[in-house]
Amino acid sequence: MNALVVAGVLIVLLGISYQTGWSKSRNLVTADGVKVHSRPQYHGSFTAIWAMIPALVILLLWAWFGGGITHNYTVSQIPQDILVSLDQAGLNGALIRINALASGYGVAGETAPWEQAAGDAVRSFNFLTFAGTLILAVVAGGAGLFYARSQINARLRARNSVERVVNVLLLACSAVAILTTVGIVASLVTEALRFFTFINPIDFFFGTVWAPNNAGGDNHGSYGLLPLLSGTLMITAIAMIVAVPVGLLSAIYLSQYAPKSFRAVAKPLIEILAGIPTIVFGFFALVTVGPFLRDFGNAIGLQISATSALTAGIVMGIMIIPFVSSLSDDIMNQVPRTLRDGAYGLGATQSETIRNVLLPAALPGIVGAFLLAVSRAIGETMIVVLAAGNAPILRGSPFEPVSTITVSIVNQLTGDTDFTGPQSLVGFALGLTLFVVTLCLNIFALYIVRRFREQYE
Amino acid sequence: MDMLAGKVKKTSLNVDSAMNPTDVLERPIRLTARDVTVHYGAKQALHGISIDIPDRAVTAFIGPSGCGKSTFLRCINRMNDTIEGAKVGGTIKLDGEDIYAPALDVVELRARIGMVFQKPNPFPKSIYDNVAYGPRIHGLARNKADLDEIVVSSLRKAGLFEEVKDRLQEPGTGLSGGQQQRLCIARAIAVGPEVILMDEPCSALDPIATAVIEELIDELRENYTIVIVTHSMQQAARVSQRTAFFHLGNLIEQGPTEDIFTNPVNKQTQDYIMGRIG
Ligand SMILES: Nc1ncnc2c1ncn2[C@@H]1O[C@H](COP(=O)(O)OP(=O)(O)OP(=O)(O)O)[C@@H](O)[C@H]1O
Ligand SMILES: [Mg+2]
């Protein structure tokens, strides 16, 4: 309700201010025929920006500090004698009851008179502060509006001002993305460091046994990363062995050989593959691919478990085919036609042209597509939970059950977690490892692309 | 400066040779086209083109933009095959052999009929590899020394060797526009074609680079059959012995360059040459 009112008021303010700037600007033109620097839309936007920014700043300030102020006020409404008798939990309970009364939801059980009184007081306080903030915001917005309106004249460079605001806005948006990344990494690092106060990093990074003692107590168990890392890398490698040839070749077929009509049907179909939830792939691995591989292994005299690195890897490979094929296809289509014509004109066959001209020219983009697929595979969890067998043991054979970093994170963080012992904190160390592995892959791919570029451009 | 003067002098000689058109007509005919039509989907781009192209001479195609010059040029080495929805009708014969016959090897045909494109399109490879590409795929060189020889002589013929001899391993895309175009010409020559098709080879070049290429065309004429598309009347007059004027997908007039430019029969040709259409 309140949010709706705020949004409504802001929209009205936006409309009025834009309209004001726009119409004043229109009058400029008709009045004296001088050349106006900016078009009316820009004067409108200029006014709107001047009106919206003060209003938004006030609303944001209230959103930031309002909670604390209301909290203090609510506490002050609890009679002193009762307040001293309450411990922390009791206080929280009382506050919840008062707020419930204030918002009119009602509470279970009898209400004490002081509770009712405090609830009423808080309700009127809430209303007053809300209305006050809103009025303040509108007044500030109005002031901005009038200031901006007074500034409008033929020489005002509203177009440039709007451009600057747009710049700042874009910067702010990218800052959100960057800061989020930084924040996530920072929290991963600090929590991982806490983990390393329990477990020696050498035992973690080079340990070959993964056997956390989840029961708690003084014996934490062993947290060797290697079985998980090897499982992750093995499954990812199998997935790439499946996805890269199939994806790349199908991209080549789609972009170079297939008739338009076939392409129009096939491309969306392949992309649908990317839209299938991973749990469905996991299910498919568990009930179809796993048993098939086991029976196939029996037939040729190989011991293959139904749930194994192979099963998970193959199904994951199928899952990431569209990442490889769809992106590579787009990239190959962007290679200039003239380049291909050059090769054909020299008497190269189609496959020679593709191998010698098209693929080298598209390589940076294709490497990017592979990388996206690898990152997807390394971070994938659901398929591995269901199909890899969840056996965190260091082994070399892809035919046996393994476990991965992601699965272990899930195992350690589901259920009761208090983030005080290594049993749950290890999740952060594992997450950090995963992050570093993907980062290294990115850097490696960048390096490959650079080298290639230097050679050819 | 001296060098440039030499070039200009040389190109101006071409007009003299064009003044002797009977020479050219008596040469054997390399290419004959009869009633060539091209459709792009439902749209017809060429309406029955018939033309003879003589050996060891330069034939110029002129005409306003969009009249089908490139389209016809692409028919001659079957580059239209690579365009989806393009349909070619009529017959084109190279030395009496139908190039649209089902049994014909297109890839080999394109090695015999080389093409230089309107926009320079060097491969993103080194200068050496650009020129060596054709000989490599066709197995023209028996060993490395052979290949070096082909590359160097092709670059020489294209008038580029002196400029790039110290940087053969550097990327071809790093050359200037005019150098790139000469690289593309060298690349086409390296395959040892019999016919060279050039689609506005000088459209992106400055007058000096243009003079170099015109001189080159003049030299190549001794050994090759050349077809050139150009928007420059002066260029057509300078380098070609025969000229064909296209308009809206029709071949309006063809004949010795001298006649077309001094004495056009058709009113449209006259208007175009005087700069009234296109
Ligand atoms: N790939 C294509 N698909 C569809 N139509 C095409 C295609 N290529 C050319 N055309 C059409 O065929 C006609 C002839 O084009 P063409 O490229 O042969 O003209 P041009 O004489 O070479 O012109 P310019 O001098 O501008 O290069 C034009 O109307 C053009 O729109
Ligand atoms: Mg053209």
Side-chain angles (χ1 to χ4, degrees), chain B residues 40 43 45 64-71 83 118 200 231:
Chain B
Y40 290 116
K43 184 172 169 284
S65 188
C67 66
K69 305 179 298 290
S70 300
T71 300
I83 295 178
Q118 179 167 350
E200 299 181 40
H231 277 291

Side-chain angles (χ1 to χ4, degrees), chain A residues 260 337-338 344 346-347 356 456, chain B residues 82 107 121 124-125 133 138:
Chain A
K260 265 213 179 72
R337 224 207 129 74
T338 55
Y344 287 134
L346 291 174
N356 304 336
Y456 286 127
Chain B
T82 67
V107 167
N121 56 350
K125 300 178 190 293
Y133 183 72
H138 296 296

Side-chain angles (χ1 to χ4, degrees), chain A residues 2-67:
Chain A
N2 285 356
L4 270 186
V5 172
V6 171
V9 168
L10 284 180
I11 288 174
V12 170
L13 186 64
L14 181 73
I16 291 177
S17 53
Y18 184 89
Q19 191 61 31
T20 311
W22 188 80
S23 58
K24 172 143 188 205
S25 171
R26 286 299 292 259
N27 292 338
L28 279 182
V29 184
T30 46
D32 40 14
V34 287
K35 175 136 176 49
V36 181
H37 178 275
S38 302
R39 299 199 357 263
Q41 295 91 305
Y42 285 109
H43 284 129
S45 308
F46 174 79
T47 319
I49 288 167
W50 266 100
M52 295 307 280
I53 286 179
L56 283 174
V57 165
I58 285 178
L59 288 173
L60 281 179
L61 282 179
W62 180 250
W64 206 278
F65 298 112

